[in-house]
Amino acid sequence: MELWSLRLLSRMLHAFDNLCIRKDGTVNRKWDKFLGTQVPANPQAKCGVSTVDVIVDFEKDVWVRLFIPKKKSRKLYSLYKKSKPQAQKLFPIIFFYHGGGFVFLSPDSVCYDTFCRRLARKCHALVISVHYRRAPEHKFPAAYDDCFAALEWLQSGQATQCLPRSIDPRCIDLSRVFLCGDSAGGNIAHHVAVRASETEISPLCIKGVMLLSPFFGGQERTPAEIRVRNVPMVSVKRLDWYWKSFLPHGANRDHPACNIFGRNSPDLSDVSLPSVLIIIGGLDILQDWETRYADCLNRAGKDVKVFFYKNGIHSFGLFDQTHITKQMFFNIMGFIDNH
């Protein structure tokens, strides 16, 4: 999509949000569901990927959509880098956490169904997209708890029982698990990774965390938040509202959920985090917070790889922003291939 069409789409999404948000700050979920565009799971392969929805926790309405690629050689990988023969026989696992400011969207939203289908196909991986409880009805830490519960669900072995008969569970590589998310989902991926590092999750082994325009912040206004104006998808005012909806009552944006390396946040120096990939856009008003996050991880001795796209908007990969989205997928594929 070109920038002008992204601006038009942004205005439509902003109007959609305004229709769903009541004056008291609550969300009209009936309007949310009516105006949103959802697609059902499809057990028949579409674009080389079939999907199935599975309930993780009925009472909490936590469920996942599995994106299962066909068993075939990874042609795109052969263009990028020769993969090891053994690696090609097994599916790595990618947990995907959707964005939407902790408030909107879900795995069956058309944009995320399309994106995760593409992610599964290009990376030849089993993608598990998680539906978590959303704010403001369910504030911090509900989203983190639900997404970690999905990880425990995979650990229990229930996930492999949900696979189609055409997929041998032995083809699923539990030793190569990746956490991925865009925007608020990127924030969730970080917090799930921290919790997983402090928990026994074998036989699972998290090899990497992939953050696409992650949603971090703080009380201060960064230069980018002041300088970058009238860009598609996000605004300072709307992002502030998302944080107010998600954070505990009385908390500000220096809460550890938001400001990862703020004065109120725990020291991550001794936390055994896996390698981290961060995608940052030059037209994203959150870019300074994302860069600061990467710099702080580096100073804490963590393995961090940053890709900066000068013309990238917030979550540009979700909207197929011209050629840079294609390059972003190559970055993701290479990261997975090297871990």
Side-chain angles (χ1 to χ4, degrees):
M1 299 179 71
E2 299 299 332
L3 198 57
W4 68 267
S5 59
L6 288 170
R7 291 185 187 279
L8 177 60
L9 176 61
S10 179
R11 292 191 183 100
M12 294 173 61
L13 293 175
H14 187 73
F16 163 84
D17 287 356
N18 287 338
L19 285 172
C20 295
I21 299 172
R22 300 187 180 100
K23 291 181 179 180
D24 63 358
T26 59
V27 173
N28 187 325
R29 291 298 175 193
K30 290 183 179 180
W31 270 106
D32 180 23
K33 186 174 182 179
F34 176 74
L35 294 173
T37 305
Q38 289 86 31
V39 293
N42 188 353
Q44 301 299 318
K46 176 184 177 182
C47 299
V49 178
S50 60
T51 55
V52 59
D53 292 343
V54 184
I55 296 174
V56 173
D57 188 321
F58 181 81
E59 292 185 356
K60 295 181 179 179
D61 192 29
V62 179
W63 54 273
V64 296
R65 174 162 292 185
L66 305 182
F67 293 81
I68 308 161
K70 284 184 177 179
K71 288 196 278 186
K72 60 181 181 180
S73 62
R74 293 183 289 181
K75 295 181 180 179
L76 283 173
Y77 261 162
S78 65
L79 295 174
Y80 177 84
K81 182 179 179 181
K82 289 185 177 180
S83 302
K84 296 179 181 179
Q86 179 64 20
Q88 292 215 24
K89 296 179 181 178
L90 301 178
F91 291 102
I93 299 166
I94 302 175
F95 271 94
F96 186 82
Y97 312 118
H98 67 82
F102 301 102
V103 176
F104 294 111
L105 303 175
S106 64
D108 60 358
S109 297
V110 65
C111 55
Y112 283 111
D113 181 85
T114 301
F115 180 85
C116 288
R117 191 178 298 276
R118 189 176 183 184
L119 185 65
R121 184 178 72 252
K122 287 183 175 292
C123 297
H124 205 60
L126 171 65
V127 174
I128 305 176
S129 184
V130 184
H131 178 270
Y132 50 85
R133 288 172 294 171
R134 294 167 295 178
E137 302 96 319
H138 304 283
K139 290 179 171 289
F140 166 91
Y144 302 156
D145 292 344
D146 294 348
C147 290
F148 190 77
L151 195 66
E152 293 178 313
W153 170 78
L154 176 64
Q155 180 191 23
S156 71
Q158 296 180 53
T160 55
Q161 299 173 19
C162 304
L163 295 173
R165 293 181 180 179
S166 59
I167 301 295
D168 188 339
R170 291 173 296 181
C171 293
I172 307 301
D173 192 349
L174 298 178
S175 69
R176 295 182 68 222
V177 178
F178 297 85
L179 308 181
C180 181
D182 80 300
S183 194
N187 177 290
I188 293 171
H190 163 82
H191 287 283
V192 171
V194 171
R195 189 179 298 190
S197 71
E198 302 166 344
T199 310
E200 175 55 53
I201 60 169
S202 62
L204 307 185
C205 181
I206 298 178
K207 290 293 188 179
V209 183
M210 302 177 292
L211 311 182
L212 319 179
S213 304
F215 187 19
F216 300 129
Q219 278 296 101
E220 70 171 287
R221 291 301 185 205
T222 65
E225 287 175 317
I226 297 171
R227 181 186 73 254
V228 182
R229 299 286 184 177
N230 300 317
V231 292
M233 301 308 155
V234 292
S235 67
V236 170
K237 182 179 179 180
R238 182 48 53 88
L239 294 177
D240 286 352
W241 182 84
Y242 285 147
W243 283 123
K244 183 179 180 180
S245 299
F246 175 67
L247 295 175
H249 292 291
N252 63 26
R253 294 189 304 278
D254 281 332
H255 187 280
C258 177
N259 194 344
I260 306 300
F261 290 97
R263 60 179 181 273
N264 300 323
S265 300
D267 184 6
L268 298 182
S269 298
D270 296 328
V271 176
S272 182
L273 284 175
S275 299
V276 179
L277 168 72
I278 307 175
I279 301 294
I280 301 175
L283 297 180
D284 186 353
I285 62 178
L286 292 173
Q287 61 185 277
D288 290 342
W289 289 111
E290 296 159 353
T291 301
R292 184 179 302 183
Y293 171 83
D295 292 342
C296 289
L297 283 184
N298 269 317
R299 288 197 293 271
K302 312 307 178 187
D303 180 29
V304 185
K305 183 69 173 179
V306 177
F307 289 98
F308 181 83
Y309 289 85
K310 180 180 178 181
N311 296 318
I313 64 169
H314 184 71
S315 291
F316 66 85
L318 193 65
F319 304 102
D320 199 15
Q321 190 185 358
T322 61
H323 66 283
I324 61 175
T325 297
K326 181 178 180 180
Q327 183 58 47
M328 184 201 72
F329 272 105
F330 274 103
N331 296 152
I332 294 173
M333 291 160 58
F335 181 79
I336 292 175
D337 198 45
N338 290 326
H339 293 82

